[in-house]
Amino acid sequence: MNPPDTPTFDAPWQAQAFALAVALSDAGHFTWTEWSEALGARLNGPNAARDGSDYYDHWLENLVALLNAKGLALPEAIDTTAQAWQRAATATPHGKPIALSNDPKAQGAGSDNYHN
Amino acid sequence: MHDHDHDHGDNSLDPMTARVKALETILTEKGLVDPAALDAIIESVQTKIGPRNGAKVVARAWSDPDFAARLAEDATSAVAELGYSGRQGEHLQAVFNTQDTHNLVVCTLCSCYPWTVLGLPPVWYKSPPYRARAVRDPRGVLAEFGVTLPESTQIRVWDSTAELRYLVVPERPEGTEGLDEAALAELVTRDAMIGCGLAKVPA
């Protein structure tokens, strides 16, 4: 139960997901109590790893679910935009910054195509 | 499928990274989050908050009885004197170890933790075994952390919530009478401020 400390975040996306939840709560889109109760239900559910290694996976899915419940972002829009980011990454030459506009399916249009 | 002699397209995003980037794209475009605020939060986590803050609070409490009294009365205000202020609606309570009572902190629900004074919690704090056993078998948990207390010492377990988080003030070790606050702070470990450890004894 007392293994050596691991880094605060195992990957940059975990830090970004952490910051998104805190920023949304700071901006008043949900209270931290709402957040904690929903996160706790996931962490105490049957799909949680015993060692806590999937903590930020649950964190991210908690965020997606809460945004859906609040009508702030739809899961379908998130999936569609995530796929666009993956296509954009694949189409971006190595060494160049990945931009959503590099998605071949975007065809020069703005990223508004991906949601709502 | 992938063509192996393509001349570009070496980049790929793993699904979690793509999902978070999608959230950022959508929430930023809707004006729900400010990218600068995200950067500020991450910078704060990496450089501003952490157990060194809590150690300074404990060292001050050991050195200054008036501060200790204020810390016991209203920890949120007392740590703000040292420049550590939490987010809105988050209250801090300091719990003081004595010869008779040892305090241990857990969040049975999820991972509530006093960020401003301890940083983000270690992975074991968030794990189901710790969250379950800290309440059921605190003495067994402490033993796994190498802490054995006399049978006569009572263990109080504090269950954190989103609104109320706890900082354990460990007992000041013997032989530290001549040390200043900076030297004292070096003795205060993160685990001691969760209650899973004791303050270090000076070498």
Side-chain angles (χ1 to χ4, degrees):
Chain A
M1 192 177 290
N2 189 17
D5 272 2
T6 48
T8 306
F9 302 111
D10 293 325
W13 71 261
Q14 297 181 350
Q16 294 296 128
F18 171 82
L20 280 169
V22 172
L24 286 163
S25 178
D26 283 350
H29 296 296
F30 47 78
T31 68
W32 205 249
T33 300
E34 271 182 288
W35 170 264
S36 302
E37 283 172 1
L39 179 63
R42 289 170 188 278
L43 296 176
N44 295 313
N47 297 323
R50 295 272 300 162
D51 61 2
S53 58
D54 58 355
Y55 179 78
Y56 281 105
D57 300 61
H58 293 294
W59 182 285
L60 178 56
E61 291 321 307
N62 197 46
L63 182 56
V64 170
L66 206 50
L67 289 170
N68 185 36
K70 300 273 175 189
L72 297 175
L74 300 174
E76 301 75 27
I78 296 165
D79 288 344
T80 309
T81 309
Q83 287 159 13
W85 270 109
Q86 288 191 298
R87 284 193 304 269
T90 309
T92 302
H94 193 70
K96 294 268 169 51
I98 298 169
L100 192 54
S101 54
N102 293 351
D103 173 17
K105 284 201 184 174
Q107 295 175 333
S111 56
D112 284 346
N113 283 0
Y114 298 113
H115 49 84
N116 297 347
Chain B
M1 286 297 109
H2 259 107
D3 181 358
H4 282 278
D5 59 4
H6 58 59
D7 58 0
H8 64 269
D10 293 329
N11 288 310
S12 65
L13 289 182
D14 66 87
M16 301 304 271
T17 300
R19 222 160 150 64
V20 173
K21 286 182 92 66
L23 276 172
E24 275 187 64
T25 301
I26 293 170
L27 297 171
T28 305
E29 287 185 0
K30 288 188 171 186
L32 296 171
V33 296
D34 173 5
L38 299 179
D39 289 347
I41 290 165
I42 292 170
E43 200 210 334
S44 169
V45 167
Q46 287 171 338
T47 63
K48 295 199 179 109
I49 65 172
R52 289 302 90 208
N53 295 358
K56 287 179 190 163
V57 171
V58 171
R60 174 72 55 89
W62 284 346
S63 309
D64 179 347
D66 291 337
F67 178 78
R70 292 198 296 281
L71 187 64
E73 177 72 25
D74 179 354
T76 311
S77 301
V79 304
E81 292 175 30
L82 279 72
Y84 311 135
S85 47
R87 300 161 59 236
Q88 277 184 336
E90 173 194 316
H91 291 283
L92 182 68
Q93 181 175 340
V95 289
F96 291 71
N97 287 350
T98 66
Q99 260 194 326
D100 303 324
T101 306
H102 181 90
N103 297 286
L104 179 66
V105 177
V106 66
C107 173
T108 57
L109 176 67
C110 52
S111 50
C112 299
Y113 192 72
W115 291 348
T116 48
V117 284
L118 293 188
L120 296 188
V123 70
W124 54 258
Y125 184 88
K126 303 180 285 190
S127 73
Y130 179 76
R131 291 188 287 114
R133 286 192 52 218
V135 174
R136 208 171 57 228
D137 178 23
R139 215 169 273 276
V141 167
L142 286 175
E144 287 176 27
F145 279 90
V147 177
T148 310
L149 299 171
E151 278 300 317
S152 57
T153 302
Q154 189 201 355
I155 300 174
R156 288 193 71 174
V157 180
W158 300 85
D159 194 357
S160 314
T161 68
E163 294 93 5
L164 183 57
R165 320 199 180 188
Y166 300 95
L167 175 73
V168 174
V169 180
E171 281 194 284
R172 181 172 175 162
E174 290 182 18
T176 58
E177 292 75 14
L179 298 184
D180 63 14
E181 275 186 41
L184 288 171
E186 294 296 318
L187 305 175
V188 185
T189 64
R190 179 201 62 202
D191 288 0
M193 293 181 280
I194 301 174
C196 290
L198 305 175
K200 290 190 279 186
V201 175

